[in-house]
Amino acid sequence: MSWKETYQSWIKRDDLEPSLKEELTELEGQDSKLEEAFYAPMEFGTAGMRGVMGPGINRMNIYTVRQATEGLANFMDELDDKTKQRGVAISFDSRYHSKEFAHEAAHVLGAHHIPSFVFDDMRPTPELSYTVRHLKTYAGIMITASHNPKQYNGYKIYGPDGGQMPPTESDKITDYIRKVTDIFDVPVAKEQVLRQNGLMTLIGENVDEAYLDEVKQITINPELIREYGADMKLIYTPLHGTGKVLGNRALQNAGFSDFTMVPEQATADPEFITTPFPNPEFAQTFDLAIKLGKKQKADLLVATDPDADRLGAAVRQPDGEYQLLTGNQMAALMLNYILTAREENGTLPANAVAVKSIVSSELATKIAEAHGTKMVNVLTGFKFIADQIQSYETTKAHTFMFGFEESYGYLIKPFVRDKDAIQGIVMLAEIAAYYRKQGKTLYDGIQDLFKTYGYYAEKTISKDFPGVDGKTQMANLMTKFREEQPAAFADQPVVALEDFEKQLTTYSDGTSEKIALPTSNVLKYQLKDGTWIAIRPSGTEPKIKFYIGTSADNNEAAQQKVADFEKAIDRFIVA
Ligand SMILES: O=P([O-])(O)O[C@H]1O[C@H](COP(=O)(O)O)[C@@H](O)[C@H](O)[C@H]1O
Ligand SMILES: [Mg+2]
């Protein structure tokens, strides 16, 4: 069907959900906008389905949510009855329609006699991952668009291990979803009936408590917190999202009692009024926290994105200004602390392992090696980290210590199988206390690591390619990098090109080697001086991401190198 035919099939329906109908009527005649909404069904990317809300098959709305859930339900119908009856855990964030979508999903599952366990109010993504394991459900659904702007929503699917479904499983579900061709004809059961029949159960405080009990296990050195953490001044902002439900309780439980939530941002607000891009990767998300921090002379500011799986932080400097830490720096601090502290208290296992994505800092690899810990690299997407953890559980070959990705995602303990910013806050606060004991800050801590392991610097650069044309432009740019094969960046010769789509590393001497990771549209250039540059289209937003990782003898030199490589990339793009 052409996009126009699909559009017609929507506009002519009398029973279309009224607000979608209204929006569709407003769009009449705006062909490029309509084409975008109707040209293709939503895809499952790095983190499930994510897109702008509104009418259309390429939009998040009750019909596409029903369709996705019908696919999952059809898939579960083929499981043995006992497995199917384990049901599905469902959570949602603070966005427009999130709660409604969560309930729609439950109604579709209910029509298949699949029980659902739905949170009574918004809850963090990591808690949903935990819930799948805790309640032993077969699957999980999280309604969220994470850190995207307010127009977006999304649908993450979790498997029985509590991890977001890896490609083999999610492709299977996608096949089932594609087979649901009439999205207006998905059966939905009535909530009241489901509630009476025990097919839809509301969950909340009990699961919160169980989760928070697990979070208590994050703390490595409670005494340190008592002595140097209790009176440390912290500011926390949940950026209008789910973190506010548990972040403060987690900090309190761990013994940090002197903290304030940024009041303007401690309200669940689908407008994200104070922070239209609620992504802790962006400095602007810290504006209000910094203001409050300066007033209170707070030692540490922490921010979680609306579904509380990403964590950002800023540290008070001696001059009273705040220094933001990058995702890679926070990860380095966490990994170093976990391995050092566990070595000291004699609990570092001989088969310790840490896992990171291929586009994250090599500083962490150095730290791991120095502590006799293996570092495993996986593709972008926390589901791949979860997959590793699951395999270690089966083979017992390794003991998981830490997992992270540069995009502000960390996991400390595997009772959750996704990045967990609530765990992250507690760990980072403990590390701040550790440095405080030495009269230092987290920023000093990262400088110490640089002194020991080299001055590492990284940068992620995103270039936006919105709309239908954007997809083609991104594909063309990836082809350009593949075909024109730059021989050097900023005078540093390329010594190897890792093409994760072809699953092949080609060295400058012409030899090649297979890459043992699933196929993915990513290119990674290794340069002579140890710098790496990676390129990939984002799986959650219409962007191409460029990643630069380098190191030098001092901070300035490392930053200068990053700037030079960024310019070199830009030059290659326009050439
Ligand atoms: O957006 P979140 O926080 O749900 O996070 C999701 O997207 C991130 C960015 O992916 P991409 O670079 O493909 O856009 C991934 O790193 C992450 O594992 C995934 O869960
Ligand atoms: Mg998120």
Side-chain angles (χ1 to χ4, degrees):
M1 245 200 269
S2 71
W3 74 261
K4 281 194 177 158
E5 286 166 318
T6 313
Y7 162 60
Q8 288 302 334
S9 72
W10 278 59
I11 195 85
K12 71 170 193 234
R13 292 192 78 91
D14 296 327
D15 60 351
L16 197 69
E17 198 276 324
S19 68
L20 292 175
K21 179 104 182 169
E22 199 176 306
E23 267 183 75
L24 207 51
T25 316
E26 276 167 26
L27 285 172
E28 225 170 293
Q30 303 187 47
D31 273 14
S32 65
K33 282 193 183 158
L34 286 170
E35 180 179 4
E36 229 169 83
F38 286 97
Y39 83 103
M42 301 193 70
E43 280 172 17
F44 268 74
T46 320
M49 201 161 83
R50 194 174 293 178
V52 172
M53 286 180 271
I57 57 169
N58 192 28
R59 292 284 179 258
M60 286 294 299
N61 52 57
I62 53 164
Y63 302 110
T64 49
V65 165
R66 284 180 188 163
Q67 181 188 33
T69 315
E70 179 70 3
L72 173 65
N74 286 336
F75 173 83
M76 287 181 69
D77 276 342
E78 290 182 8
L79 301 168
D80 65 82
D81 201 50
K82 213 172 140 211
T83 311
K84 176 178 160 182
Q85 287 313 315
R86 285 163 58 184
V88 180
I90 306 178
S91 177
F92 55 92
D93 69 5
S94 55
R95 289 170 186 273
Y96 287 115
H97 300 299
S98 286
K99 183 172 186 181
E100 181 190 346
F101 292 167
H103 281 241
E104 281 297 329
H107 303 164
V108 172
L109 293 167
H112 287 256
H113 298 279
I114 298 171
S116 61
F117 304 87
V118 186
F119 274 100
D120 53 10
D121 198 355
M122 63 168 190
R123 289 296 194 288
T125 290
E127 186 177 8
L128 185 269
S129 164
Y130 168 74
T131 307
V132 169
R133 301 176 60 75
H134 178 61
L135 297 181
K136 300 191 173 56
T137 63
Y138 179 76
I141 299 171
M142 179 73 203
I143 306 290
T144 179
S146 186
H147 55 280
N148 290 43
K150 66 171 181 182
Q151 297 84 357
Y152 285 79
N153 216 326
Y155 188 104
K156 298 180 177 178
I157 299 191
Y158 291 78
D161 67 334
Q164 287 191 50
M165 281 191 181
T168 30
E169 277 82 3
S170 76
D171 286 354
K172 249 190 245 163
I173 307 263
T174 307
D175 285 345
Y176 277 85
I177 295 173
R178 292 283 179 265
K179 282 187 208 144
V180 183
T181 44
D182 189 353
I183 74 173
F184 296 110
D185 199 28
V186 173
V188 281
K190 288 229 173 343
E191 179 153 334
Q192 209 190 350
V193 178
L194 294 177
R195 298 273 284 272
Q196 275 163 5
N197 298 343
L199 280 171
M200 181 174 171
T201 308
L202 292 190
I203 54 173
E205 181 57 26
N206 289 344
V207 182
D208 294 348
E209 270 171 28
Y211 169 82
L212 287 167
D213 275 348
E214 294 280 4
V215 174
K216 285 182 194 156
Q217 310 302 319
I218 297 294
T219 301
I220 301 180
N221 194 343
E223 209 164 298
L224 179 77
I225 299 178
R226 262 194 302 278
E227 283 179 42
Y228 296 91
D231 63 344
M232 187 169 70
K233 265 197 186 321
L234 288 160
I235 305 269
Y236 169 46
T237 171
L239 299 176
H240 299 293
T242 59
K244 77 160 198 166
V245 193
L246 297 178
N248 54 345
R249 289 171 72 180
L251 278 170
Q252 191 91 49
N253 286 346
F256 300 97
S257 36
D258 191 356
F259 63 87
T260 316
M261 270 211 247
V262 174
E264 300 92 326
Q265 295 175 332
T267 52
D269 175 13
E271 280 294 320
F272 302 110
I273 193 83
T274 64
T275 174
F277 296 92
N279 182 354
E281 282 178 290
F282 299 153
Q284 153 269 323
T285 53
F286 280 91
D287 286 354
L288 286 175
I290 289 178
K291 222 167 132 192
L292 187 60
K294 285 186 176 169
K295 231 186 252 163
Q296 298 197 356
K297 296 197 169 44
D299 301 285
L300 177 65
L301 318 177
V302 284
T304 54
D305 75 337
D307 66 326
D309 56 359
R310 293 185 176 212
L311 169 71
V315 181
R316 186 180 168 85
Q317 297 291 80
D319 63 0
E321 295 298 320
Y322 284 87
Q323 172 71 42
L324 292 169
L325 301 178
T326 69
N328 281 315
Q329 292 172 349
M330 281 182 272
L333 286 166
M334 290 191 204
L335 181 64
N336 179 65
Y337 179 73
I338 292 168
L339 299 182
T340 309
R342 293 194 55 158
E343 227 163 34
E344 274 167 17
N345 70 13
T347 61
L348 183 64
N351 63 358
V353 72
V355 189
K356 73 173 190 67
S357 75
I358 52 170
V359 294
S360 301
S361 174
E362 286 304 321
L363 171 57
T365 311
K366 279 273 178 80
I367 295 171
E369 280 167 1
H371 293 273
T373 296
K374 186 181 160 76
M375 176 62 80
V376 170
N377 284 282
V378 294
L379 294 175
T380 303
F382 226 90
K383 58 194 170 195
F384 295 110
I385 296 178
D387 220 23
Q388 287 295 319
I389 302 175
Q390 192 58 21
S391 79
Y392 304 147
E393 211 162 72
T394 319
T395 63
K396 308 267 183 283
H398 295 291
T399 308
F400 177 78
M401 291 291 117
F402 184 61
F404 81 97
E405 42 180 22
E406 51 71 50
S407 52
Y408 292 54
Y410 331 92
L411 178 65
I412 293 129
K413 291 255 166 148
F415 59 87
V416 165
R417 297 294 170 91
D418 205 341
K419 51 191 150 87
D420 185 343
I422 307 294
Q423 291 190 24
I425 297 179
V426 174
M427 179 44 75
L428 201 67
E430 177 172 345
I431 303 172
Y434 167 77
Y435 286 109
R436 194 165 181 243
K437 181 177 177 183
Q438 305 166 38
K440 293 179 179 174
T441 68
L442 288 174
Y443 183 76
D444 300 326
I446 192 79
Q447 300 309 318
D448 286 353
L449 292 178
F450 287 160
K451 254 178 240 148
T452 312
Y453 298 104
Y455 288 78
Y456 280 76
E458 296 83 18
K459 187 165 184 187
T460 304
I461 304 140
S462 295
K463 298 203 186 288
D464 292 344
F465 292 92
V468 184
D469 296 343
K471 273 205 167 153
T472 323
Q473 288 160 357
M474 285 196 274
N476 290 345
L477 193 53
M478 290 304 291
T479 307
K480 182 178 163 80
F481 272 95
R482 274 204 173 85
E483 285 179 358
E484 293 175 22
Q485 297 215 0
F489 289 90
D491 296 332
Q492 273 303 323
V494 173
V495 291
L497 170 59
E498 298 170 66
D499 187 335
F500 292 84
E501 192 169 68
K502 295 188 187 140
Q503 296 166 303
L504 204 67
T505 306
T506 312
Y507 297 95
S508 44
D509 64 4
T511 57
S512 59
E513 201 180 1
K514 188 134 180 48
I515 297 175
L517 286 176
T519 175
S520 179
N521 190 7
V522 189
L523 292 171
K524 192 171 174 185
Y525 296 88
Q526 301 287 356
L527 311 187
K528 195 158 174 238
D529 69 344
T531 300
W532 56 270
I533 293 176
I535 309 161
R536 57 181 284 276
S538 154
T540 59
E541 289 166 291
K543 320 177 148 166
I544 286 206
K545 289 184 172 177
F546 296 86
Y547 307 83
I548 301 167
T550 193
S551 63
D553 296 338
N554 60 66
N555 257 330
E556 292 70 33
Q559 296 303 335
Q560 187 57 50
K561 282 176 82 175
V562 169
D564 293 344
F565 287 121
E566 184 172 355
K567 272 191 218 130
I569 293 171
D570 283 337
R571 269 199 302 275
F572 181 77
I573 293 175
V574 295

